[in-house]
Amino acid sequence: MATIDPSPPQVAAAHFEELARDYMRARRRLTTTLGVVFGLWLAGFVVLSAILRDVAARPIAGPLSTGWLYALSAFPLVIGLTWTFSRVSATSLDCSRSRAIAAANDQGGTR
Amino acid sequence: MSSNSAALWMFAGIIAVTLGITWWAGRRTSTASEFWAAGHAVTPTQNAMAITGDFLSASAFLGTTGLIFFYGFDGMLYLLVPLAAWIPIILLFAERLRNLGQFTLTDVLVNRFRKPVLRRLLAGSTLVITGVYLLAQLVAAGSLFQLLAGVPFSIAVVITAVVMLIYVTVGGMLATTWVQMIKAALLVTVLTVLTLLTIVGMRGGVGTWLSSALETTGGKNPLIPGNLLSNPWNSVSVGLALLFGVAGLPHVMMRLFTVRDSGAARRSASRAIAIIAIAEVLIVVCGLAARNLLGDQETALARSGGNLVAPKLGEALAGGPGTLSGALVLALVAAVAFATIVAVVAGLLINAASAVVRDLWRPASADGDAAGAADANGTNEIRRARTVTILISVVMAGLTILVGPGMNAALLVTLAFGIAASANFPTLLLTLFWRRFTVQGAISGMCTGLISSAVLLFLGPTLWPGHGSSPLPLTDPTIISMPLGFLACVAGSLLSNRDPADEFEALQLKALLGTEQTDRHSQELVTDPT
């Protein structure tokens, strides 16, 4: 038997809107933070490989040079950023997304 | 047993297994959705393996090993930057593309701007990018076959083209997915074997091994950037192409449409990044091992554009030329490299066919709905796809034979990345993120990016047809063509009026929430965006 939704459509719409905006804001915050970390690493790589080539060639860890070490740091960095994004998405963002979708589905008046 | 006959048996084994899978997949492919996107039923882990198989092409395995062997640090650039390119993809594109697209990248654009002309333009740029990428793979396939089977380059190219043709025409995306998964598993296995053989063969510890690998040879210090890309602007330009080109590569992005929803697309991408990173670490080890073991063969290996460094490394690690173990490992590496190539070319081919059939050949309908209604389960579409696949294969095989075996696969692929970064990436990014973006902006951006990257490539040293030095000193012109693409997008948008039917807020909601139910509610946000 269908139940009557107690909230009028305008309230439900406002609720959906609020949840959707919360989700998008949280997602933007996470993306920006990770993007800034990535951008800084990238800027360092560009500087070393194109501008400060002498610094890049300077051995600092046995036979490995600054440039090689910095380049190799891409592997842990990329995996770390990906893991963080996936983890936060799965544990927090997906829930907030589901709430917004549920609010959208509930907005019909009857369920 | 000679390495030639062992390699041929291994080639035959891989082809037999993958053709069996193709036959199995062909029996399960009857609708257009199954043909183009494997019915959106691929699991995230399967798709991650397939993305790895699609992404790590001959250029990564054969080409980059060769570039690290010859140039040291500059070779690393060709390996690391494409890996780093997955960060923008996972942060900005993966989920959005899956929520907005069905089968191709053009679906995403058309979701916002319902104009058939955009579909055709993006299809054109897809064909150019895919064509250059296919050329690289076929050149590498021809070189390999020549080495191992003593078969002439042209015959080798024809054999590869026929195999990829069968995969795609018979099994569609499902067969392509399985071929790519098998290839990824084989590639990681063979890289692990080479790394283990390197570790077993190390004398004097890692420090000594590294010191020897990073010694200056032939006047080139592998620690210094600039052995290959001596012009710093060229380094930045190649970096831009590799970093932003991946998001514009239609055959890689197409894989995100094969999973059920946006969450699965994100999981696919994140798992793929992990597998690709592991494989690339192993490629670095192989490149350095080659510097240790094959230093005296530099001149001979340079003739193959560096594409044969990896197979020769396998031979050297397992006992050297003339030994049975050396012959077997050489054959194994070459057979896996061949599997690598056919898996990638299958992905490229289905992508090129989708661009022609879905975006160019369809009746003039903005989103293809009318055409879809007339051919409900896509029988005619699949028939057209098979015809187009045959045509593309014939054209590409002919072009590859004309180009010949002397090109380095990694360098050719960089050209494709550059075009993708200049033509597709700006349009895709601004479609998803800029409210003021218009159809005119998209058209001018795509045309400018495509034309400028192609023209500048011919003015650069790689493709300059004239005598003497080229007018443009950059081997890769992305540093000029990508900003030009962005500028044209912005100028075109600012000089035109926004379409009143453009529902940017609705698109943003759909891109992130991804449910059809949100469509109605997002309309309300458009009319009342407070």
Side-chain angles (χ1 to χ4, degrees):
Chain A
M1 194 175 97
T3 56
I4 303 299
D5 192 325
S7 55
Q10 299 93 313
V11 175
H15 185 51
F16 162 70
E17 191 178 325
E18 187 190 331
L19 288 174
R21 289 195 193 288
D22 278 352
Y23 165 68
M24 287 163 85
R25 249 195 306 270
R27 198 188 151 93
R28 197 175 306 133
R29 232 185 347 257
L30 175 67
T31 307
T32 308
T33 311
L34 299 180
V36 166
V37 174
F38 176 68
L40 287 174
W41 178 87
L42 202 63
F45 188 68
V46 171
V47 167
L48 277 177
S49 59
I51 302 166
L52 301 177
R53 289 181 162 179
D54 290 340
V55 176
R58 203 172 291 158
I60 54 165
L64 279 179
S65 61
T66 318
W68 271 82
L69 266 186
Y70 196 87
L72 290 173
S73 72
F75 294 114
L77 177 93
V78 167
I79 289 180
L81 291 178
T82 306
W83 184 84
T84 309
F85 181 71
S86 303
R87 186 86 189 134
V88 176
S89 292
T91 55
S92 155
L93 289 183
D94 281 356
C95 298
S96 122
R97 177 174 171 272
S98 302
R99 275 198 296 274
I101 292 171
N105 290 335
D106 285 352
Q107 201 192 318
T110 55
R111 285 177 278 177
Chain B
M1 182 188 274
S2 72
S3 65
N4 284 15
S5 54
L8 282 175
W9 278 109
M10 287 186 201
F11 282 161
I14 289 174
I15 289 173
V17 170
T18 47
L19 285 181
I21 289 168
T22 303
W23 175 78
W24 165 83
R27 288 165 57 97
R28 283 159 180 75
T29 301
S30 56
T31 66
S33 167
E34 284 163 353
F35 189 84
W36 298 120
H40 305 294
V42 179
T43 68
T45 305
Q46 286 175 337
N47 200 35
M49 287 292 284
I51 288 174
T52 309
D54 205 5
F55 184 68
L56 287 181
S57 62
S59 78
F61 180 40
L62 302 177
T64 318
T65 311
L67 290 179
I68 292 176
F69 170 74
F70 286 117
Y71 306 108
F73 183 90
D74 282 3
M76 292 278 284
L77 187 93
Y78 286 83
L79 201 61
L80 293 178
V81 181
L83 172 70
W86 280 92
I87 294 296
I89 290 175
I90 195 167
L91 294 183
L92 302 176
F93 293 110
E95 291 164 272
R96 288 178 171 91
L97 292 188
R98 179 63 194 92
N99 281 333
L100 296 174
Q102 273 286 310
F103 305 125
T104 62
L105 277 185
T106 47
D107 296 339
V108 178
L109 251 74
V110 172
N111 221 307
R112 177 167 177 189
F113 307 116
R114 299 183 179 276
K115 302 283 181 198
V117 65
L118 278 179
R119 204 173 252 289
R120 301 209 175 95
L121 261 179
L122 192 57
S125 115
T126 296
L127 279 178
V128 173
I129 294 162
T130 310
V132 176
Y133 215 109
L134 258 174
L135 198 63
Q137 307 306 314
L138 289 174
V139 164
S143 304
L144 258 183
F145 246 119
Q146 223 177 357
L147 168 84
L148 289 161
V151 176
F153 180 75
S154 52
I155 305 281
V157 170
V158 170
I159 292 172
T160 314
V162 169
V163 172
M164 72 180 186
L165 183 65
I166 295 172
Y167 289 152
V168 175
T169 50
V170 177
M173 183 53 100
L174 186 59
T176 304
T177 301
W178 275 93
V179 169
Q180 288 171 342
M181 282 163 55
I182 291 172
K183 165 266 171 103
L186 283 172
L187 182 63
V188 173
T189 306
V190 89
L191 284 169
T192 309
V193 168
L194 292 180
T195 303
L196 288 175
L197 286 173
T198 302
I199 293 169
V200 169
M202 265 181 202
R203 285 178 179 74
V206 180
T208 314
W209 179 83
L210 256 181
S211 302
S212 161
L214 294 172
E215 264 174 14
T216 300
T217 50
K220 283 179 289 194
N221 181 353
L223 295 175
I224 296 181
N227 288 321
L228 173 63
L229 305 163
S230 52
N231 181 341
W233 291 110
N234 215 10
S235 292
V236 178
S237 194
V238 169
L240 281 175
L242 297 175
L243 186 65
F244 297 113
V246 181
L249 284 181
H251 73 286
V252 178
M253 293 298 107
M254 192 185 186
R255 287 238 51 96
L256 296 172
F257 301 127
T258 61
V259 291
R260 200 189 56 213
D261 55 26
S262 59
R266 184 187 68 227
R267 285 192 290 280
S268 302
S270 57
R271 287 170 201 174
I273 290 170
I275 304 170
I276 292 167
I278 291 167
E280 291 198 345
V281 169
L282 301 177
I283 291 174
V284 173
V285 174
C286 289
L288 292 174
R291 289 189 61 84
N292 258 328
L293 290 175
L294 305 175
D296 54 337
Q297 299 177 37
E298 201 171 320
T299 316
L301 289 168
R303 275 199 292 275
S304 69
N307 294 327
L308 299 181
V309 170
K312 284 289 184 189
L313 171 70
E315 183 185 49
L317 282 169
T323 62
L324 178 65
S325 53
L328 285 174
V329 175
L330 170 73
L332 174 72
V333 175
V336 169
F338 183 71
T340 294
I341 293 166
V342 289
V344 174
V345 291
L348 288 163
L349 194 57
I350 196 167
N351 181 252
S354 76
V356 175
V357 174
R358 287 198 60 82
D359 302 328
L360 288 177
W361 197 337
R362 287 195 127 189
S365 143
D367 51 12
D369 288 347
D375 182 22
N377 61 1
T379 315
N380 292 336
E381 191 170 312
I382 295 177
R383 196 175 307 130
R384 281 198 293 270
R386 289 180 173 141
T387 312
V388 167
T389 305
I390 294 170
L391 282 174
I392 295 173
S393 302
V394 171
V395 170
M396 286 316 301
L399 262 179
T400 311
I401 293 167
L402 277 178
V403 168
M407 294 288 278
N408 180 290
L411 295 180
L412 267 179
V413 164
T414 310
L415 301 185
F417 274 68
I419 300 170
S422 309
N424 287 7
F425 176 71
T427 311
L428 203 57
L429 187 77
L430 297 177
T431 299
L432 293 175
F433 296 101
W434 193 30
R435 184 192 311 267
R436 185 65 183 78
F437 198 39
T438 64
V439 177
Q440 288 77 5
I443 293 171
S444 52
M446 252 190 288
C447 291
T448 307
L450 189 62
I451 294 169
S452 63
S453 55
V455 169
L456 292 171
L457 273 175
F458 278 98
L459 293 177
T462 313
L463 297 178
W464 172 239
H467 298 291
S469 60
S470 59
L472 189 74
L474 302 172
T475 54
D476 184 285
T478 310
I479 197 167
I480 302 170
S481 57
M482 193 173 98
L484 278 179
F486 270 111
L487 267 178
C489 282
V490 172
S493 298
L494 295 179
L495 292 174
S496 59
N497 291 323
R498 223 182 138 208
D499 184 354
D502 176 14
E503 296 157 352
F504 179 69
E505 287 76 13
L507 181 99
Q508 288 237 303
L509 271 183
K510 193 176 175 192
L512 284 174
L513 297 178
T515 59
E516 286 169 8
Q517 294 95 314
T518 59
D519 278 359
R520 182 163 52 88
H521 310 293
S522 54
Q523 293 292 330
E524 287 159 21
L525 290 187
V526 175
T527 52
D528 179 20
T530 53

